[in-house]
């Protein structure tokens, strides 16, 4: 394929769905799958860009299409984002921004999905037959409706000016590839390789430019291996080659390189080096070609472990974690905003070039070593999702299959070695607490830009020889306690926060404390909706004696709040506390909420001032004792 027929146009969201252009998602593409986390992230990114500069242009990424006929484009890459943007625009057009209804994308041979998009916003208003509705799209639409309509505490941002910003200043690059492209093969390659035009390619090119050709090859091996976040890095650096894996990582596959000389000695004479012979820094045009033609080859190892583990951050953000972990630790050096990936690396390169130009190649070599070392630490000491584990039923899970896990990869020691994944810590009790606490942090800081705990975990392990379970757990607990202490004073004038302003860490860490020593097999699922046990609005005539607050300020008190998923919040709606207590599936999400339900029963099925105050004091006593280093349980 040549690049002469390729076209790239930056289109605003408004332009994307206006005019004569229409989009179809072909049959070979998977269904719409985005859930709460991805949608919240997309909307949060746009809101952040708008807040920082309402006159700026915010680029969301790429939409790869192939023309059919009559202004119809087949979507090759970007359908999840395209559909979500349509949902957002459909709901924003009902806000103060304007009446125009965008033309929905169509799902080829999936009439239910297409019809669901066409019926918006009636789907949210529950005036259509649910039998003819794609429930995943409907759930996404309901979530966006909550964000936009005023049912969410951040809905105040969705003004007419914000709607105008989304339509005119939020842009995607629509890349049109020739119709002659083998689209089925192209889509397969793109999904198995994750090859895409991104700032990562530009950063890699700028770093490799500082090295000679032999060192570039070493750098390229490390970069390519670390960029595959779906498997343990030893498997990606040495795919289908156990001899190479042993040379690179030692006989047990667990040795980290000491420096670039050591790294080069391990990789410099291997077949992996030969496979990248002639590797040169990529120019931007070449990066585009790599995206469209998969010029980096198709020989990806397809082993049984390929889809087992899911990383909690992408490679772009992981690069920023490595950069932060290498730095001095100042706040400005800890930014994890992947939108500023190029700017962050450019700033470092420019600073070193100005201060010590002769040492720039040495810094790049050190970065290559740090990248591999920190990636090995990341794989062993930061939780993943393991698809072979049952997700459990205690908490609503996200749309990633499996359960949280913390494993270390090693050789099984056979004559023909295979990978073996063992618990990182042999102490089962400590291992369970570490997984539990890390999963609590994961669902608290849902945006990758807020996952600074990962940076500090990388630093701690890198600086601690022979990490033991108890000291690792103590480190993570103290890191979390420092955030809890700050959160407890996040209200006006340093008071304890209330209502929707209550930081999520107070809920999730409290739930961790409630279950960490129990035999209950509890799992943290994604939750980001603050639920009022006694709702803000309800039919008081039904049971005014049972559920009444003399002090109305207690409505937003910590003793009347719990953290649940958006779907559970919608089920709770304006139900009474007794009705909520009877919804076991939603109640099981939060140990704090379960205690509230138990207190309701113990009080004769009533929820009044005394119950709210009593529950609040019990929970605060537990938090205060823990942050003071006292085991209250």
């Amino acid at each position: 394929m040549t690049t002469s027929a390729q076209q790239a146009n930056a289109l605003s969201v408004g332009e994307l769905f206006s005019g004569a252009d229409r989009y179809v998602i072909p049959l070979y593409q998977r269904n719409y799958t985005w859930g709460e986390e991805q949608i919240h992230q997309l909307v949060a990114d746009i809101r952040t860009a708008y807040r920082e500069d309402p006159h700026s242009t915010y680029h969301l990424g790429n939409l790869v299409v192939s023309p059919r006929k009559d202004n119809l484009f087949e979507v090759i890459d970007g359908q999840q984002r395209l559909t979500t943007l349509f949902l957002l625009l459909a709901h924003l057009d009902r806000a103060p921004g304007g009446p125009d209804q965008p033309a929905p994308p169509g799902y080829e041979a999936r009439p239910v999905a297409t019809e669901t998009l066409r019926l918006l916003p009636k789907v949210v208003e529950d005036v259509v037959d649910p039998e003819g509705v794609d429930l995943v799209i409907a759930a996404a639409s309901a979530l966006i409706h909550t964000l936009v309509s005023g049912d969410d505490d951040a809905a105040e941002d969705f003004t007419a000016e914000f709607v105008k910003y989304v339509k005119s200043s939020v842009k995607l690059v629509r890349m049109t590839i020739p119709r002659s492209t083998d689209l089925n093969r192209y889509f397969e390659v793109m999904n198995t390789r994750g090859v895409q035009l991104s700032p990562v390619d530009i950063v890699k090119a700028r770093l490799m430019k500082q090295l000679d050709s032999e060192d570039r090859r070493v750098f390229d091996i490390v970069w390519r291996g670390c960029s595959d976040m779906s498997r343990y890095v030893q498997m990606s650096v040495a795919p289908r080659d156990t001899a190479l894996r042993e040379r690179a990582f030692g006989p047990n596959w667990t040795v980290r390189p000491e420096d670039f000389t050591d790294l080069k000695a391990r990789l410099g004479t291997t077949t992996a080096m030969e496979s990248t012979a002639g590797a040169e820094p990529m120019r931007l045009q070449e990066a585009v070609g790599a995206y469209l033609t998969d010029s980096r080859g198709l020989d990806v190892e397809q082993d049984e472990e390929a889809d087992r583990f899911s990383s909690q951050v992408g490679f772009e953000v992981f690069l920023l974690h490595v950069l932060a972990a290498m730095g001095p630790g100042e706040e400005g050096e800890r930014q994890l905003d992947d939108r500023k990936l190029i700017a962050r690396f450019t700033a470092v390169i420019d600073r070193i070039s100005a201060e010590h130009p002769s040492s720039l190649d040495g810094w790049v070599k050190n970065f290559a070593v740090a990248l591999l070392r920190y990636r090995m630490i990341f794989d062993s000491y930061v939780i993943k999702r393991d698809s072979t584990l049952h997700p459990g039923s205690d908490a609503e899970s996200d749309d990633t299959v499996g359960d949280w896990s913390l494993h270390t990869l090693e050789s099984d020691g056979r004559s023909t070695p295979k990978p073996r994944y063992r618990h990182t810590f042999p102490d089962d009790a400590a291992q369970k607490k570490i997984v539990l606490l890390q999963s609590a942090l994961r669902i608290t800081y849902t945006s990758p830009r807020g996952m600074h705990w990962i940076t500090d975990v990388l630093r701690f392990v890198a600086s601690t020889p022979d990490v033991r379970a108890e000291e690792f757990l103590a480190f993570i607990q103290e890191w979390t306690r420092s955030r809890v202490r700050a959160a407890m004073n996040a209200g006006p004038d340093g008071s304890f926060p209330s209502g929707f302003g209550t930081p999520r860490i107070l809920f999730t860490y409290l739930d961790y404390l409630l279950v960490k020593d129990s035999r209950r097999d509890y799992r943290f699922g994604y939750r980001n909706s603050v639920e009022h046990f006694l709702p803000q609005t309800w039919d008081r005539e039904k049971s005014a004696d049972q559920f009444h607050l003399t002090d109305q300020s207690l409505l937003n008190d910590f003793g009347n709040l719990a953290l649940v998923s958006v779907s559970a919040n919608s089920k709770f709606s304006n139900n009474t506390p007794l009705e909520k207590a009877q919804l076991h599936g939603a109640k099981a999400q939060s140990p704090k909420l379960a205690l509230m339900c138990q207190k309701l029963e113990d009080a004769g099925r009533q929820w009044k001032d005394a119950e709210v105050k009593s529950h609040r004091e019990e929970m605060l006593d537990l938090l205060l004792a823990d942050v003071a280093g006292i085991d209250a349980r």
Side-chain angles (χ1 to χ4, degrees):
M1 183 195 308
T2 65
T3 60
S4 59
Q6 300 164 14
Q7 297 179 7
N9 303 99
L11 301 178
S12 69
V13 171
E15 293 171 332
L16 201 63
F17 293 104
S18 63
D21 292 347
R22 294 171 296 123
Y23 303 91
V24 61
I25 288 86
L27 183 61
Y28 59 75
Q29 291 248 27
R30 56 187 171 182
N31 294 327
Y32 180 77
T33 60
W34 271 21
E36 291 179 17
E37 183 183 24
Q38 296 97 329
I39 293 171
H40 269 287
Q41 184 66 62
L42 178 70
V43 176
D45 288 348
I46 296 173
R47 285 175 54 218
T48 299
Y50 174 73
R51 285 178 173 180
E52 290 179 352
D53 185 358
H55 304 292
S56 66
T57 297
Y58 178 55
H59 293 280
L60 268 178
N62 305 309
L63 175 68
V64 183
V65 298
S66 178
R68 287 192 177 180
K69 60 179 180 178
D70 299 329
N71 297 102
L72 181 65
F73 293 90
E74 181 172 331
V75 178
I76 309 304
D77 184 34
Q79 65 111 335
Q80 304 286 333
R81 185 184 294 114
L82 179 72
T83 302
T84 305
L85 286 173
F86 168 77
L87 295 174
L88 177 61
L89 199 58
H91 287 287
L92 287 178
D93 277 331
R94 303 194 69 207
D100 297 332
Q101 188 74 1
Y107 278 73
E108 194 170 53
R110 296 172 193 161
V112 172
T114 302
E115 184 68 359
T116 302
L117 293 173
R118 189 187 69 81
L119 287 172
L120 289 173
K122 294 180 180 179
V123 170
V124 173
E125 297 170 345
D126 198 27
V127 296
V128 297
D129 181 3
E131 292 296 325
V133 169
D134 185 305
L135 297 180
V136 177
I137 293 177
S141 180
L143 174 60
I144 293 174
H145 173 74
T146 299
L147 294 172
V148 172
S149 66
D151 297 333
D152 184 272
D153 56 311
E156 63 185 18
D157 288 344
F158 296 94
T159 61
E161 290 75 16
F162 178 78
V163 176
K164 182 179 179 181
Y165 177 82
V166 171
K167 290 182 177 181
S168 60
S169 298
V170 177
K171 297 188 176 184
L172 289 88
V173 175
R174 189 177 72 183
M175 300 180 63
T176 304
I177 64 174
R179 293 184 62 183
S180 58
T181 304
D182 183 351
L183 295 180
N184 286 285
R185 178 56 179 157
Y186 178 81
F187 183 75
E188 175 187 346
V189 167
M190 188 169 56
N191 277 274
T192 56
R193 289 297 313 275
V195 178
Q196 50 185 306
L197 179 63
S198 73
V200 167
D201 297 300
I202 300 173
V203 170
K204 179 182 180 182
R206 291 182 179 176
L207 294 178
M208 290 179 66
K209 187 187 301 183
Q210 315 305 324
L211 305 174
D212 62 34
S213 58
E214 186 177 355
D215 290 342
R216 286 175 192 159
R217 298 186 185 113
V218 177
F219 187 95
D220 186 57
I221 295 169
V222 172
W223 186 278
R224 287 191 296 114
C226 291
S227 67
D228 182 358
M229 302 296 289
S230 65
R231 17 176 155 200
Y232 281 64
V233 69
Q234 297 96 317
M235 304 296 291
S236 299
V237 167
R240 294 185 300 187
D241 191 338
T242 56
L244 166 58
R245 203 169 294 147
E246 184 171 326
R247 290 196 299 272
F249 302 103
N252 203 34
W253 303 354
T254 58
V255 175
R256 301 174 207 151
E258 296 180 3
D259 51 34
F260 195 80
T261 300
D262 180 42
L263 179 63
K264 191 172 181 179
R266 293 175 181 276
L267 299 177
T269 58
T270 64
T271 55
M273 175 70 76
E274 296 166 4
S275 69
T276 58
E280 296 293 335
M282 289 186 295
R283 297 186 295 273
L284 181 58
Q285 183 178 4
E286 294 170 335
V288 174
Y291 177 66
L292 293 171
T293 64
D294 189 35
S295 61
R296 282 178 271 180
L298 303 175
D299 55 342
V300 181
E301 178 184 26
Q302 298 296 323
D303 58 65
E304 59 184 7
E305 310 296 332
D307 299 320
R308 176 176 173 179
F309 297 102
S310 299
S311 170
Q312 298 308 298
V313 298
F315 185 53
E316 296 89 344
V317 175
F318 182 72
L319 287 171
L320 292 172
H321 279 293
V322 174
L323 200 61
M326 290 178 66
E330 286 95 0
E331 193 63 32
E333 299 297 320
R334 290 170 56 85
Q335 294 182 11
L336 301 176
D337 188 346
D338 57 339
R339 297 172 304 171
K340 300 177 180 178
L341 180 70
I342 296 174
R344 289 290 314 282
F345 274 88
T346 299
V348 172
I349 292 172
D350 290 348
R351 185 177 68 243
I352 297 174
S353 297
E355 297 175 356
H356 308 286
S358 62
S359 65
L360 186 55
D361 66 330
W363 184 89
V364 174
K365 292 176 182 178
N366 290 339
F367 181 82
V369 175
L371 180 61
L372 185 54
R373 286 179 59 85
Y374 282 129
R375 179 58 203 278
M376 293 179 71
I377 292 171
F378 176 86
D379 284 344
S380 293
Y381 293 92
V382 176
I383 57 169
K384 300 179 185 291
R385 299 287 293 199
D386 185 346
S387 64
T388 66
L389 302 178
H390 192 278
S393 59
D394 284 334
E396 281 195 10
S397 62
D398 60 312
D399 31 359
T400 304
V401 297
D403 195 10
W404 306 111
S405 71
L406 192 69
H407 290 97
T408 292
L409 168 67
E410 61 185 14
S411 167
D412 65 3
R414 299 180 183 179
S415 56
T416 304
K418 292 185 177 181
R420 176 171 60 198
Y421 299 91
R422 61 167 176 81
H423 283 176
T424 296
F425 299 104
D427 183 335
D428 290 340
Q431 167 91 4
K432 176 183 176 182
K433 290 180 182 179
I434 291 167
V435 172
L436 197 63
L437 183 51
Q438 284 201 18
S439 60
L441 293 173
R442 176 65 184 89
I443 67 109
T444 300
Y445 303 105
T446 55
S447 169
R449 296 168 193 162
M451 296 182 190
H452 297 288
W453 62 274
I454 294 180
T455 301
D456 292 325
V457 163
L458 298 179
R459 276 182 168 163
F460 175 80
V461 175
S463 62
T464 307
D466 301 322
V467 180
R468 300 190 307 274
E470 58 270 21
E471 61 182 341
F472 186 64
L473 176 60
F475 167 78
I476 302 177
Q477 283 181 326
E478 189 50 44
W479 189 98
T480 309
R481 286 168 180 154
S482 68
R483 271 63 184 176
V484 171
R485 293 185 190 102
M488 294 176 75
N489 299 307
D493 300 321
S495 63
F496 195 90
S498 64
F500 292 119
T502 307
R504 276 34 174 182
I505 188 66
L506 294 178
F507 295 105
T508 53
Y509 189 60
L510 181 58
D511 281 343
Y512 163 77
L513 294 178
L514 290 171
V515 299
K516 68 183 180 70
D517 294 314
S518 72
R519 294 184 179 180
R520 180 182 175 186
D521 192 17
Y522 176 79
R523 278 95 159 177
F524 278 99
Y526 286 104
R527 296 177 281 143
N528 48 26
S529 183
V530 174
E531 168 66 20
H532 291 75
F533 195 47
L534 180 64
Q536 299 178 88
T537 57
W538 59 289
D539 186 359
R540 288 169 170 78
E541 295 182 359
K542 291 194 301 183
S543 48
D545 292 336
Q546 285 178 275
F547 314 117
H548 174 71
L549 294 179
T550 303
D551 181 358
Q552 285 297 302
S553 68
L554 292 175
L555 189 66
N556 287 311
D557 190 270
F558 191 61
N560 191 50
L561 304 176
L563 193 66
V564 298
S565 67
V566 169
S567 59
N569 188 293
S570 64
K571 291 177 184 177
F572 281 160
S573 184
N574 293 326
N575 289 339
T576 67
L578 182 58
E579 291 170 324
K580 294 174 181 178
Q582 294 169 345
L583 294 173
H584 174 75
K587 180 177 65 177
Q589 293 183 29
S590 166
K592 180 183 187 298
L593 180 58
L595 287 179
M596 296 166 75
C597 295
Q598 184 60 53
K599 183 171 286 292
L600 172 76
E601 289 292 331
D602 295 343
R605 295 194 168 187
Q606 67 177 14
W607 191 257
K608 298 183 179 181
D609 296 50
E611 285 70 44
V612 174
K613 292 178 180 178
S614 173
H615 178 67
R616 178 228 298 153
E617 294 306 318
E618 291 169 1
M619 298 300 97
L620 290 187
D621 285 348
L622 181 58
L623 280 173
L624 288 169
D626 181 82
V627 298
I630 303 171
D631 187 359
R633 295 178 66 83

